[in-house]
PDB file of all heavy atoms in Angstrom:
ATOM      1  N   GLY A  30     118.452 115.575 125.136  1.00  0.00           N
ATOM      2  CA  GLY A  30     118.049 114.156 125.128  1.00  0.00           C
ATOM      3  C   GLY A  30     116.972 113.878 124.115  1.00  0.00           C
ATOM      4  O   GLY A  30     116.993 112.873 123.393  1.00  0.00           O
ATOM      5  N   LEU A  33     118.444 113.962 120.637  1.00  0.00           N
ATOM      6  CA  LEU A  33     119.285 112.770 120.432  1.00  0.00           C
ATOM      7  C   LEU A  33     118.381 111.547 120.093  1.00  0.00           C
ATOM      8  O   LEU A  33     118.662 110.809 119.157  1.00  0.00           O
ATOM      9  CB  LEU A  33     120.156 112.482 121.670  1.00  0.00           C
ATOM     10  CG  LEU A  33     121.072 111.271 121.556  1.00  0.00           C
ATOM     11  CD1 LEU A  33     122.086 111.460 120.425  1.00  0.00           C
ATOM     12  CD2 LEU A  33     121.775 111.015 122.867  1.00  0.00           C
ATOM     13  N   LEU A 103      86.273  85.824  95.283  1.00  0.00           N
ATOM     14  CA  LEU A 103      86.194  84.704  96.213  1.00  0.00           C
ATOM     15  C   LEU A 103      85.021  84.968  97.131  1.00  0.00           C
ATOM     16  O   LEU A 103      85.015  85.960  97.866  1.00  0.00           O
ATOM     17  CB  LEU A 103      87.490  84.587  97.013  1.00  0.00           C
ATOM     18  CG  LEU A 103      87.562  83.528  98.101  1.00  0.00           C
ATOM     19  CD1 LEU A 103      87.383  82.121  97.531  1.00  0.00           C
ATOM     20  CD2 LEU A 103      88.864  83.642  98.869  1.00  0.00           C
ATOM     21  N   PHE A 105      82.061  83.486 100.019  1.00  0.00           N
ATOM     22  CA  PHE A 105      81.694  82.475 101.010  1.00  0.00           C
ATOM     23  C   PHE A 105      80.177  82.592 101.243  1.00  0.00           C
ATOM     24  O   PHE A 105      79.659  83.677 101.466  1.00  0.00           O
ATOM     25  CB  PHE A 105      82.450  82.731 102.314  1.00  0.00           C
ATOM     26  CG  PHE A 105      83.908  82.470 102.170  1.00  0.00           C
ATOM     27  CD1 PHE A 105      84.774  83.513 101.772  1.00  0.00           C
ATOM     28  CD2 PHE A 105      84.451  81.222 102.389  1.00  0.00           C
ATOM     29  CE1 PHE A 105      86.145  83.291 101.635  1.00  0.00           C
ATOM     30  CE2 PHE A 105      85.825  80.993 102.283  1.00  0.00           C
ATOM     31  CZ  PHE A 105      86.649  82.013 101.861  1.00  0.00           C
ATOM     32  N   TRP A 106      79.490  81.428 101.153  1.00  0.00           N
ATOM     33  CA  TRP A 106      78.036  81.457 101.179  1.00  0.00           C
ATOM     34  C   TRP A 106      77.488  80.120 101.715  1.00  0.00           C
ATOM     35  O   TRP A 106      78.231  79.152 101.913  1.00  0.00           O
ATOM     36  CB  TRP A 106      77.498  81.679  99.789  1.00  0.00           C
ATOM     37  CG  TRP A 106      77.806  80.518  98.861  1.00  0.00           C
ATOM     38  CD1 TRP A 106      78.988  80.226  98.249  1.00  0.00           C
ATOM     39  CD2 TRP A 106      76.903  79.485  98.468  1.00  0.00           C
ATOM     40  NE1 TRP A 106      78.890  79.077  97.511  1.00  0.00           N
ATOM     41  CE2 TRP A 106      77.613  78.597  97.625  1.00  0.00           C
ATOM     42  CE3 TRP A 106      75.567  79.210  98.762  1.00  0.00           C
ATOM     43  CZ2 TRP A 106      77.027  77.461  97.102  1.00  0.00           C
ATOM     44  CZ3 TRP A 106      74.993  78.056  98.198  1.00  0.00           C
ATOM     45  CH2 TRP A 106      75.725  77.204  97.357  1.00  0.00           C
ATOM     46  N   PRO A 111      69.539  84.009 103.232  1.00  0.00           N
ATOM     47  CA  PRO A 111      68.728  84.807 102.319  1.00  0.00           C
ATOM     48  C   PRO A 111      69.544  85.798 101.458  1.00  0.00           C
ATOM     49  O   PRO A 111      69.297  85.933 100.257  1.00  0.00           O
ATOM     50  CB  PRO A 111      67.732  85.487 103.224  1.00  0.00           C
ATOM     51  CG  PRO A 111      67.621  84.568 104.398  1.00  0.00           C
ATOM     52  CD  PRO A 111      68.985  83.995 104.580  1.00  0.00           C
ATOM     53  N   MET A 120      75.655  87.006  90.602  1.00  0.00           N
ATOM     54  CA  MET A 120      76.967  86.381  90.432  1.00  0.00           C
ATOM     55  C   MET A 120      77.029  85.536  89.181  1.00  0.00           C
ATOM     56  O   MET A 120      78.009  85.572  88.443  1.00  0.00           O
ATOM     57  CB  MET A 120      77.320  85.557  91.681  1.00  0.00           C
ATOM     58  CG  MET A 120      78.786  85.274  91.815  1.00  0.00           C
ATOM     59  SD  MET A 120      79.216  84.543  93.401  1.00  0.00           S
ATOM     60  CE  MET A 120      78.945  85.928  94.497  1.00  0.00           C
ATOM     61  N   ILE A 185      90.260  89.712  94.572  1.00  0.00           N
ATOM     62  CA  ILE A 185      91.690  89.386  94.551  1.00  0.00           C
ATOM     63  C   ILE A 185      92.235  89.719  93.170  1.00  0.00           C
ATOM     64  O   ILE A 185      91.669  89.299  92.154  1.00  0.00           O
ATOM     65  CB  ILE A 185      91.880  87.896  94.907  1.00  0.00           C
ATOM     66  CG1 ILE A 185      91.292  87.601  96.281  1.00  0.00           C
ATOM     67  CG2 ILE A 185      93.365  87.534  94.828  1.00  0.00           C
ATOM     68  CD1 ILE A 185      91.221  86.142  96.630  1.00  0.00           C
TER      69      ILE A 185
END
Side-chain angles (χ1 to χ4, degrees):
L33 181 62
L103 176 62
F105 293 89
W106 67 283
M120 198 170 291
I185 302 171

